[in-house]
Amino acid sequence: MLGWPAHAPCAECVPYHQRMKIFHNELHHLHQGKQEMFRGKLVDCHEVPDRLAYVLAEVQRRQMGDIVAPPSDLALSEALEKVHTRAYLEFLAQAWAQWVELDPSNAERDALPSVWPLAQPHAFRTDAPPRNFAARLGQYAFDSGTPLTMGSWAAARQGAACALAAAQTLLQGERAAFALTRPPGHHAGPAFMGGYCFINNAAVAAQALRDGGIQRVAILDVDYHHGNGTQTCFYERSDVLTLSIHGDPLTEYPFFLGHADECGAGVGTGFNRNWPLPRGTRFETWFSALRQALEAVRQFKAEALLVPLGVDTFEGDPISGFKLRSPDYLRVGEALAELGLPTLFTLEGGYAVSEVGVNVANVLEGFRS
Ligand code: SP5
Ligand code: ZN
């Protein structure tokens, strides 16, 4: 009987446009928050290790690409310091030890902030940072929904290593790479965590692409929530175009950024665009925003594309409000592939746990077809 070779696809027999390297964060499970604050009570975390397990199982089942760990000799700390402040990174590295030092019984609890220095003129000082750990946590976090646990730093660091390795694989000429980043990254900024994110994986990868000689990088964020951290990282730059399609911040998290009139600043003016859409938006409307974003990528003459890939736009997502269905994600992947650019995906949100794998793999499969 005639048919395809029975062995798994290998580098030699997979055509260039279908190749995809997948970087797996084997330490992701070390970050396992217990509860997040929601409307005055602690509720079970939505961002759970099983999410990544479903994605991994589905990309394996469909043989989407080689699944590898990031190499151990990456210049990771240097790459992180190009996106985040050293003070913030040192805070993250030491946070768990300091939390436990505050009270040994804290070892059984995750760290959540409860006090914040609102950045309004004359409200609070930021030039005299307190030594108290709870205050420092509030200084570096913008919500109380992002538990910091014993393994958060190790997991986040290794997730960023996946993103960095994925960027290097594109620099070596690969068509596409997928970084299985967990915890996610797109809400994290130069000196802040929040929205389940600690390190901005997509920003680390974008900067690595720039440093590797790619002149113009476009970041097209398709997560349900505005990619506020990524926008902030590149807001005053013209070499990294940041685009985000998301729930309207008038009603949707993260609320305080993501409006349509945020266009960038200084030399970065014109190099940020947002498509806020109302809760309840269905695929056809969402897809016309995607087409506009793709046109912006073309006009920018991007040399590489980065996609913070959240599938919390899914109709069954428990914390979000769009109505995308599983087959729609195939069309998303196809549309992204039409740009013909080296493309790097990072895993962001998506909380309908048992469907996250299918939805993510559909994007990749549509991209590859
Ligand atoms: C990466 C990402 O998708 N982060 C999203 C963070 C959203 N955090 C706030 C979610 C609040 C919604 N809680 C609803 C609880 C319903 N039981
Ligand atoms: Zn999200």
Side-chain angles (χ1 to χ4, degrees):
M1 199 180 87
L2 289 175
W4 296 105
H7 60 82
C10 54
E12 285 73 39
C13 62
V14 179
Y16 169 77
H17 78 277
Q18 289 190 353
R19 282 170 58 170
M20 177 161 327
K21 255 309 204 358
I22 299 174
F23 291 92
H24 173 36
N25 177 8
E26 285 166 334
L27 302 183
H28 79 90
H29 61 276
L30 296 177
H31 173 64
Q32 190 158 0
K34 296 183 181 82
Q35 294 186 303
E36 58 185 86
M37 181 68 81
F38 177 66
R39 295 189 190 161
K41 65 177 181 204
L42 289 168
V43 301
D44 289 349
C45 282
H46 295 94
E47 203 289 289
V48 294
D50 256 5
R51 300 174 56 248
L52 193 141
Y54 273 99
V55 175
L56 183 63
E58 192 62 18
V59 296
Q60 267 169 338
R61 194 181 72 75
R62 298 195 206 177
Q63 300 189 346
M64 299 301 304
D66 289 340
I67 297 169
V68 293
S72 52
D73 60 350
L74 292 168
L76 181 60
S77 299
E78 290 84 341
L80 298 184
E81 281 186 22
K82 289 186 170 153
V83 167
H84 297 283
T85 67
R86 185 172 291 183
Y88 173 62
L89 293 168
E90 281 171 2
F91 165 77
L92 285 181
Q94 295 159 14
W96 184 256
Q98 295 185 355
W99 170 243
V100 175
E101 198 178 302
L102 200 61
D103 178 344
S105 74
N106 278 352
E108 291 143 45
R109 281 182 292 274
D110 299 340
L112 284 177
S114 54
V115 60
W116 290 271
L118 280 186
Q120 285 163 8
H122 317 299
F124 284 106
R125 288 177 65 166
T126 51
D127 61 329
R131 281 194 289 274
N132 174 279
F133 178 77
R136 277 159 50 79
L137 184 57
Q139 176 191 333
Y140 288 117
F142 70 84
D143 71 6
S144 58
T146 309
L148 194 154
T149 77
M150 182 162 68
S152 298
W153 171 240
R157 226 180 114 81
Q158 190 67 358
C162 289
L164 180 58
Q168 293 189 346
T169 216
L170 290 199
L171 291 169
Q172 287 155 11
E174 284 287 336
R175 152 73 159 150
F178 177 34
L180 276 168
T181 44
R182 196 193 151 267
H186 76 148
H187 293 302
F192 57 84
M193 51 180 267
Y196 317 148
C197 305
F198 300 87
I199 299 289
N200 195 312
N201 305 303
V204 169
Q207 185 59 45
L209 291 172
R210 285 288 296 109
D211 292 338
I214 294 191
Q215 295 299 314
R216 287 177 303 281
V217 178
I219 305 181
L220 204 181
D221 190 319
V222 297
D223 187 279
Y224 178 75
H225 304 97
H226 174 241
N228 65 292
T230 321
Q231 172 171 313
T232 296
C233 285
F234 299 109
Y235 206 60
E236 297 184 21
R237 285 173 54 169
S238 59
D239 56 335
V240 179
L241 176 72
T242 46
L243 311 168
S244 183
I245 305 167
H246 48 264
D248 190 332
L250 288 174
T251 60
E252 306 307 300
Y253 183 95
F255 306 115
F256 305 111
L257 207 65
H259 297 281
D261 63 351
E262 296 158 17
C263 298
V267 295
T269 303
F271 297 95
N272 184 81
R273 284 183 69 182
N274 286 321
W275 285 265
L277 300 172
R279 220 181 155 77
T281 292
R282 292 177 184 284
F283 180 65
E284 287 314 320
T285 305
W286 187 92
F287 197 67
S288 64
L290 182 74
R291 276 196 293 262
Q292 291 174 33
L294 293 171
E295 185 50 34
V297 174
R298 287 190 190 95
Q299 294 204 350
F300 177 63
K301 298 194 183 352
E303 294 174 14
L305 175 69
L306 236 143
V307 182
L309 175 57
V311 291
D312 38 13
T313 47
F314 179 55
E315 62 178 353
D317 195 274
I319 68 168
S320 309
F322 289 167
K323 304 281 183 199
L324 274 64
R325 300 189 169 155
S326 292
D328 297 333
Y329 292 103
L330 290 162
R331 290 186 60 197
V332 176
E334 286 164 17
L336 293 169
E338 279 169 20
L339 289 172
L341 293 171
T343 302
L344 194 165
F345 298 88
T346 57
L347 182 63
E348 305 292 340
Y351 308 99
V353 177
S354 61
E355 272 130 323
V356 168
V358 168
N359 293 340
V360 166
N362 277 0
V363 174
L364 303 181
E365 189 168 318
F367 183 86
R368 210 175 63 157
S369 63

